[in-house]
Amino acid sequence: MKDHDIVDLYWARDERALTETQHKYGAYCHSISMNILDSHSDAEECVNDTWLKAWQTMPPKRPGVLRTYLGKLTRNLSINRLKERHREKRNPDLVVAFEELAECIPVPEDTTDELLCAYLNEFLEITPALDRQLFMGRYWYGRTVREMAPCYGLTANAVSQRLKRTRQALRTFLEERGYTV
């Protein structure tokens, strides 16, 4: 089923929307949540919460890209679960990733900062493909440097260096636009 058809089911308040969403995006959302929480049961709960949140927010929202919308819901719910359970000790890699990113991006209480989102999208559009993929893998999907390195035929050190240069470039990019830490 196509995404716009699934969104139409949500708008029609048809419960088949949930079944179709689970069928099409269940594995994708579970993967996002697992990378953050490192627990199958917690990830499964967050994915179920994602379907509930999608049901509650459509309508009035009509997402342009359903995959991205569901990924964002899953990611935010998983991060909230991580904070609630003080799981920093069980997933230190994710804590380190957030600390790395905090060096170049202010982390406001309200994570829906549309200006920052627009700047990030603009920055990622001009970033070379490999660096963009590494950046998204690390800071969106919560993958570790060691996990990504063999996927791209790089050493862990090379991935770390590329991420460091990308963060520095992002910081410069944001400062040029008046968005500073």
Side-chain angles (χ1 to χ4, degrees):
M1 182 174 273
K2 295 189 184 285
D3 286 358
H4 65 86
D5 294 328
I6 295 172
V7 172
D8 288 344
L9 289 174
Y10 278 103
W11 275 68
R13 306 313 290 163
D14 187 330
E15 291 183 12
R16 287 182 301 152
L18 299 171
T19 306
E20 293 297 330
T21 303
Q22 168 67 32
H23 176 72
K24 190 166 183 179
Y25 293 111
Y28 169 72
C29 291
H30 190 269
S31 152
I32 291 171
S33 191
M34 269 300 297
N35 284 338
I36 294 170
L37 296 171
D38 196 29
S39 164
H40 287 288
S41 60
D42 285 344
E44 190 62 36
E45 286 181 37
C46 282
V47 171
N48 288 334
D49 291 346
T50 298
W51 308 153
L52 175 63
K53 189 79 164 169
W55 184 262
Q56 292 171 337
T57 58
M58 290 188 279
K61 292 186 180 181
R62 185 176 282 276
V65 182
L66 185 59
R67 176 184 172 99
T68 304
Y69 184 72
L70 294 171
K72 182 178 178 181
L73 289 176
T74 303
R75 182 177 184 274
N76 290 341
L77 288 165
S78 297
I79 289 170
N80 289 342
R81 170 83 38 104
L82 182 70
K83 288 177 183 175
E84 287 171 15
R85 300 225 172 139
H86 304 291
R87 296 183 55 119
E88 291 86 357
K89 293 178 184 171
R90 288 183 62 187
N91 194 349
D93 292 322
L94 190 61
V95 173
V96 169
F98 289 148
E99 289 172 356
E100 290 170 357
L101 206 50
E103 294 171 8
C104 61
I105 299 177
V107 184
E109 286 295 316
D110 180 14
T111 58
T112 61
D113 187 343
E114 292 179 16
L115 180 60
L116 177 58
C117 184
Y119 285 154
L120 281 171
N121 286 333
E122 186 180 342
F123 173 76
L124 291 171
E125 285 178 13
I126 62 171
T127 302
L130 177 58
D131 294 330
R132 181 175 53 247
Q133 291 168 351
L134 292 171
F135 185 89
M136 293 298 292
R138 180 77 172 134
Y139 303 115
W140 177 259
Y141 294 105
R143 298 178 70 197
T144 66
V145 169
R146 285 190 193 110
E147 183 181 4
M148 290 189 299
C151 298
Y152 294 100
L154 299 170
T155 65
N157 189 46
V159 171
S160 293
Q161 288 302 312
R162 291 185 84 98
L163 286 169
K164 181 179 180 182
R165 285 192 291 270
T166 303
R167 287 192 313 272
Q168 289 169 339
L170 175 58
R171 182 180 187 131
T172 300
F173 181 88
L174 291 172
E175 286 173 350
E176 289 172 353
R177 284 150 183 81
Y179 200 102
T180 58
V181 180

